[in-house]
Amino acid sequence: MEKQPHLLLWKAVFVLIMIGLGFGIYAGSKSIDYTWRWERIPQYIINTEATTVRSPFDGTATIEKGNKLVVTSDYGDDPLVIKKFDNLLVNNGDLVFEGDPLVEVENWNIGPLTWGLVMTLQLSVVSLVFAVVIGLFAGLARISTNPALRYLSVTYIELIRGTPLLVQIFIFYFFIGTVLDLDRFTAGVAALSVFTGAYIAEIVRSGIQSISPGQMEAARSLGMNYVQAMVNVILPQAFKRTLPPMAGQFINLIKDSSLVSVISITDLTKAGREVVSSTFAPFEVWFAVALMYLVLTGALSWAIQRLEKRLSASD
Amino acid sequence: MTNMTDKSIIQARNIEKIYPNGCHALKNVSLDINRGEVVVIIGPSGSGKSTFLRTLNQLETISDGTIHIDEVSLTDRKTNINKVREEVGMVFQSFNLFPHKTALGNVALSPIKVKKKPRAVAEQEGRELLKKVGLAERMNNYPSHLSGGQQQRVAIARALAMHPKIMLFDEPTSALDPEMVGEVLDVMKSLASDGMTMVVVTHEMGFAREVADRVVFMEEGELVFEESPERFFSSDNPRLQRFLGQVL
Ligand SMILES: Nc1ncnc2c1ncn2[C@@H]1O[C@H](COP(=O)(O)OP(=O)(O)OP(=O)(O)O)[C@@H](O)[C@H]1O
Ligand SMILES: [Mg+2]
């Protein structure tokens, strides 16, 4: 009970700091005379585009009940019927000539930022699947009793963790990509999965080693072979234990995927750059891009937290 | 095969075990165990009791000597050790239950995965085994929601689910609070009276006296002495006397 007022106080402090930060951004943009044009952003996420439907022949427009536009041709062509439109540009009984605008139809269009988001999502999901497979096998090889497997795994992990991802992406695209004739997307996915796989391998290794050796002994003493013991006893426990670091790694993967924009994959970051050059509203665009990344990573951490809760039934 | 008595289900001959770190844990240990026999192994800490027990299901390999389980040589490279282990159940001091499985899940796992039994059959058998060890009410509990004594009884049921011919116990009651020792020993006693072949490492002298057909004393990697319980506990072997003086 005694702690209550302090808690409230510190929550208030937090809110004040956040307000202060917001004000700082506002004041900062004021001081450089920046005009915020947030209204320019939504159209790059999703927009409606009006297309005008024009008359294909000379004729008479009639509006029938149910808001249906019918144009009957003067020369006996089949009548044109338009059932759905957003703006009517002719009146009932008007004479229309070929090429006259009849109605406007609005189409929903996905904007470049959303396409970027979809690309980022695709890159991340595909790379994630491969990274988990690579990481699982490299992690198992890392603790194998076979020296060849062990050294291979150590070499892989050290090589990947010792070089920057950006450099790896260039190597994958320009060297391996050229040798194996890979397209951009494949090269990007390969670089991201190989990179993330090395980190997952370490997570897998430490996860497996954190399970007491007695578990393996119990499983083997029941007649399970090594693979059965791994699959049924060790990995399920290790999986649960490695979820938090895995979540971090998955989130890193989503963020790291922004680096593939250097090989001209139009992911969210590259889309952002393109939109900046057509809107001249860099602040808004980058804030919007950041927010879209946050939506992805936030959804992922939420999903993993749900999974953790579900798995904690046996605790 | 001619020199094997048809009664011995375990034949360990001249076992040597040297750990990779150079520790000489077993020195020329030989022991034959008959079908249905209950053998209790006692000895001071570090005398090689666990090591010996673990060589019998090859959780430890041996450096020299031979082991036959039901006439199958464990040192023969052609022997499928997983098949042998199906016949040799083991119960550990620290239970080693699978924490991500319920009691029933623990018991049914190996029959399903190794013996390829249909889940329903394995679970039906599992329920009966858990009933037998007095845990009918606790089948769906996870190990973390069971007491030590209950966990160890699940572990016994789990080993029995593979229908082993031999059960190995490595200090099954040493990690238990005193009030739970009895419930586990009771299960082991009923197992012995069902005719199970058992090798038990324990400090429970009462159990040794009451249930064992033979008691074996180990010290510093050697099998010093083996006798029937009556003769064992009245022996005047000086090394045994020294040890019994310490524990009793
Ligand atoms: N994995 C291992 N590596 C190296 N040395 C070991 C290993 N396991 C046991 N030892 C050594 O082998 C000897 C016998 O150990 P063991 O565990 O068999 O003794 P024990 O009789 O079971 O003792 P306790 O009553 O304490 O369980 C000890 O000296 C021990 O230090
Ligand atoms: Mg021991």
Side-chain angles (χ1 to χ4, degrees):
Chain A
M1 277 293 109
E2 217 191 321
K3 281 209 159 152
Q4 207 81 16
H6 285 294
L7 269 183
L8 267 178
L9 177 71
W10 287 113
K11 283 177 185 166
V13 167
F14 166 75
V15 171
L16 276 177
I17 292 176
M18 293 312 283
I19 291 174
L21 276 176
F23 183 75
I25 292 173
Y26 175 75
S29 66
K30 271 267 153 93
S31 74
I32 54 167
D33 254 340
Y34 190 82
T35 344
W36 292 90
R37 294 202 184 80
W38 281 106
E39 71 283 354
R40 288 189 183 174
I41 302 305
Q43 57 173 316
Y44 292 98
I45 295 170
I46 191 158
N47 58 46
T48 58
E49 199 179 34
T51 41
T52 312
V53 180
R54 293 170 187 279
S55 178
F57 38 61
D58 300 347
T60 318
T62 39
I63 293 160
E64 297 186 356
K65 60 174 184 298
N67 230 11
K68 206 160 72 173
L69 175 71
V70 180
V71 185
T72 34
S73 167
D74 287 350
Y75 310 110
D77 296 303
D78 285 341
L80 172 73
V81 183
I82 302 173
K83 287 180 187 155
K84 265 188 142 173
F85 49 82
D86 295 285
N87 282 320
L88 192 60
L89 303 174
V90 289
N91 294 315
N92 196 8
D94 275 0
L95 289 178
V96 293
F97 298 103
E98 186 179 337
D100 277 359
L102 298 173
V103 293
E104 273 182 351
V105 181
E106 287 186 353
N107 292 317
W108 287 99
N109 260 332
I110 291 178
L113 285 182
T114 311
W115 281 123
L117 186 76
V118 169
M119 176 52 83
T120 290
L121 196 63
Q122 276 176 357
L123 271 171
S124 308
V125 170
V126 178
S127 307
L128 181 75
V129 172
F130 284 110
V132 167
V133 174
I134 295 173
L136 184 61
F137 283 102
L140 286 171
R142 178 81 177 69
I143 52 172
S144 158
T145 47
N146 179 327
L149 285 176
R150 212 167 51 232
Y151 295 152
L152 271 176
S153 173
V154 171
T155 310
Y156 158 63
I157 292 171
E158 293 307 322
L159 274 183
I160 295 299
R161 295 205 307 182
T163 50
L165 175 56
L166 197 54
V167 173
Q168 290 170 25
I169 290 173
F170 283 133
I171 292 177
F172 264 91
Y173 183 56
F174 291 112
F175 178 64
I176 301 175
T178 312
V179 173
L180 299 179
D181 197 20
L182 303 179
D183 60 63
R184 291 173 204 288
F185 184 81
T186 314
V189 164
L192 283 174
S193 357
V194 167
F195 177 78
T196 307
Y199 287 86
I200 291 185
E202 280 295 280
I203 295 174
V204 168
R205 178 194 60 77
S206 69
I208 290 175
Q209 287 181 335
S210 75
I211 307 297
S212 104
Q215 291 289 312
M216 183 51 109
E217 289 181 351
R220 298 304 301 272
S221 78
L222 288 163
M224 289 187 216
N225 60 35
Y226 180 81
V227 175
Q228 288 171 329
M230 266 293 163
V231 170
N232 298 302
V233 175
I234 307 297
L235 288 179
Q237 296 179 55
F239 175 72
K240 189 167 129 187
R241 238 175 253 191
T242 53
L243 262 185
M246 283 287 189
Q249 204 53 53
F250 294 170
I251 286 169
N252 277 344
L253 172 61
I254 292 178
K255 296 185 296 180
D256 291 341
S257 74
S258 71
L259 287 176
V260 300
S261 59
V262 297
I263 54 171
S264 289
I265 295 178
T266 312
D267 72 326
L268 185 50
T269 301
K270 177 121 191 301
R273 225 154 40 209
E274 284 167 3
V275 171
V276 166
S277 59
S278 54
T279 54
F280 305 108
F283 291 9
E284 295 87 332
V285 171
W286 290 123
F287 277 120
V289 165
L291 194 72
M292 289 167 89
Y293 273 112
L294 263 177
V295 168
L296 279 191
T297 54
L300 183 66
S301 27
W302 176 81
I304 291 191
Q305 267 172 33
R306 284 279 309 258
L307 188 58
E308 261 182 88
K309 276 232 178 72
R310 281 239 325 253
L311 290 177
S312 66
S314 59
D315 287 339
Chain B
M1 298 267 159
T2 44
N3 61 346
M4 287 184 187
T5 56
D6 57 357
K7 276 166 77 189
S8 313
I9 189 168
I10 300 175
Q11 294 195 323
R13 298 281 161 80
N14 311 107
I15 309 292
E16 299 282 334
K17 172 68 185 182
I18 302 168
Y19 279 107
N21 65 358
C23 179
H24 200 162
L26 294 176
K27 296 166 189 157
N28 197 27
V29 174
S30 296
L31 186 66
D32 280 19
I33 296 172
N34 295 330
R35 223 172 270 278
E37 205 180 7
V38 176
V39 172
V40 167
I41 303 177
I42 64 173
S45 180
S47 57
K49 307 182 297 291
S50 300
T51 305
F52 176 65
L53 206 63
R54 291 157 58 84
T55 62
L56 297 181
N57 67 353
Q58 289 289 285
L59 283 183
E60 298 296 349
T61 54
I62 53 176
S63 314
D64 201 6
T66 57
I67 301 177
H68 287 82
I69 302 282
D70 214 8
E71 310 205 350
V72 176
S73 165
L74 298 195
T75 43
D76 188 343
R77 294 185 132 260
K78 288 196 286 283
T79 301
N80 179 353
I81 191 60
N82 296 318
K83 277 273 168 268
V84 177
R85 284 177 179 150
E86 290 181 36
E87 316 274 283
V88 185
M90 186 164 208
V91 175
F92 301 84
Q93 177 175 356
S94 51
F95 326 137
N96 292 342
L97 287 186
F98 307 137
H100 61 302
K101 298 269 177 199
T102 61
L104 185 57
N106 266 273
V107 177
L109 182 65
S110 227
I112 293 171
K113 300 296 175 186
V114 178
K115 290 219 195 268
K116 311 289 179 201
K117 286 192 182 173
R119 176 171 296 274
V121 175
E123 290 191 341
Q124 186 49 38
E125 284 188 20
R127 273 188 282 272
E128 270 152 33
L129 280 167
L130 285 170
K131 219 173 280 170
K132 202 169 133 191
V133 299
L135 290 171
E137 317 287 288
R138 298 272 187 276
M139 303 206 197
N140 297 318
N141 283 32
Y142 284 97
S144 55
H145 294 173
L146 293 171
S147 74
Q150 290 168 338
Q151 288 190 55
Q152 194 60 299
R153 285 183 283 153
V154 174
I156 294 173
R158 177 177 69 175
L160 290 176
M162 295 300 283
H163 301 296
K165 294 181 185 148
I166 301 165
M167 285 283 283
L168 310 176
F169 294 83
D170 191 0
E171 304 199 28
T173 57
S174 296
L176 297 178
D177 291 337
E179 71 270 21
M180 293 172 185
V181 170
E183 65 194 48
V184 171
L185 290 182
D186 285 344
V187 170
M188 292 168 62
K189 281 176 200 165
S190 87
L191 206 54
S193 64
D194 288 349
M196 176 65 78
T197 308
M198 293 164 60
V199 187
V200 184
V201 174
T202 186
H203 297 300
E204 296 293 327
M205 297 304 162
F207 179 85
R209 260 201 197 95
E210 197 182 326
V211 184
D213 298 306
R214 237 185 322 158
V215 185
V216 172
F217 176 61
M218 289 185 70
E219 193 177 49
E220 289 174 358
E222 289 173 62
L223 196 159
V224 179
F225 191 69
E226 52 166 305
E227 264 307 347
S228 67
E230 307 85 63
R231 295 218 216 138
F232 186 92
F233 288 106
S234 54
S235 153
D236 52 6
N237 181 308
R239 289 166 87 178
L240 178 58
Q241 282 302 324
R242 187 150 32 91
F243 173 67
L244 288 179
Q246 280 162 3
V247 294
L248 292 180

